[in-house]
Amino acid sequence: MTDTLTEKLADRLKNLRQERGLSLDRLAGQAGISRATLSRLEKGEVSPTTEHLGKLCSVYGLTLTRLIAMVEDGFVPLVTRGAQLIWQDAKQGFTRRSVSPPSNSLGVEMIDVLLAPAADIAYDAPPRPGLEHHLYLLEGEMQITLGDHLYHVKAGDCLRYQLYGPSRFQVLGKRAARYVMGLL
């Protein structure tokens, strides 16, 4: 395999499943993703969507940043903007830049996210119950649903929360939304 992010993710997803002794069928049931799709993801035949990675991260108890860090080599304390890892899901209008230097040993992760106008992304469960988020909205306007709580967030607002249940991120208006999020 070459060193593309999709291929590295494919290898890592397969290894995570095997390390936990899960069959494709069992993982499909736990993640709510078809067995055929999981197989194609693990073979690198398709690039995973935000929804797929969110569901798999929930099963494995990982954040997306942590999963992506697992496919990166070594730890470098400074990552210039040009070297920061970018992951996109064009269908969902989601672009995610890993701002933090990748490391499996450090706790805080920083990401820079751009959501297209009218983007609407929902997650059934957090990657890890109690995961702490600090979402600082730089541009745009969003409606964020955390379990039963609804928040209207405008540029310059910061929403801090621990995630225990479903969440939904909706961009309001005709402008894209951009935020920086710290995860711990």
Side-chain angles (χ1 to χ4, degrees), residues 39-64:
S39 178
R40 293 181 71 208
L41 289 172
E42 288 186 3
K43 292 177 183 174
E45 294 174 355
V46 295
S47 183
T49 65
T50 306
E51 180 181 8
H52 290 143
L53 288 179
K55 288 179 176 185
L56 290 169
C57 284
S58 290
V59 171
Y60 296 134
L62 300 169
T63 64
L64 183 56

Side-chain angles (χ1 to χ4, degrees), residues 4 14 24 30 46 52-53 58 61 63 69 92 95 99 109 137 140 145 169 181 184:
T4 69
K14 182 176 183 178
L24 281 172
Q30 289 181 6
V46 295
H52 290 143
L53 288 179
S58 290
T63 64
Q92 292 284 333
T95 301
V99 177
E109 303 167 20
L137 189 61
T145 307
F169 300 81
M181 183 180 288
L184 177 60

Side-chain angles (χ1 to χ4, degrees), residues 79-98:
V79 178
T80 61
R81 181 169 178 86
Q84 293 168 1
L85 190 61
I86 297 174
W87 184 78
Q88 293 181 309
D89 182 344
K91 184 178 177 184
Q92 292 284 333
F94 182 88
T95 301
R96 181 184 194 284
R97 176 186 296 274
S98 293

Side-chain angles (χ1 to χ4, degrees), residues 70-145:
M70 291 174 146
V71 301
E72 292 297 306
D73 299 321
F75 169 69
V76 178
L78 174 66
V79 178
T80 61
R81 181 169 178 86
Q84 293 168 1
L85 190 61
I86 297 174
W87 184 78
Q88 293 181 309
D89 182 344
K91 184 178 177 184
Q92 292 284 333
F94 182 88
T95 301
R96 181 184 194 284
R97 176 186 296 274
S98 293
V99 177
S100 298
S103 171
N104 287 327
S105 61
L106 300 177
V108 176
E109 303 167 20
M110 295 292 296
I111 59 173
D112 182 347
V113 177
L114 179 65
L115 294 177
D120 186 347
I121 299 174
Y123 301 95
D124 295 332
R128 186 181 76 239
L131 183 65
E132 185 175 344
H133 289 159
H134 297 252
L135 186 149
Y136 177 57
L137 189 61
L138 300 169
E139 301 170 18
E141 195 171 345
M142 295 178 66
Q143 180 171 291
I144 300 173
T145 307

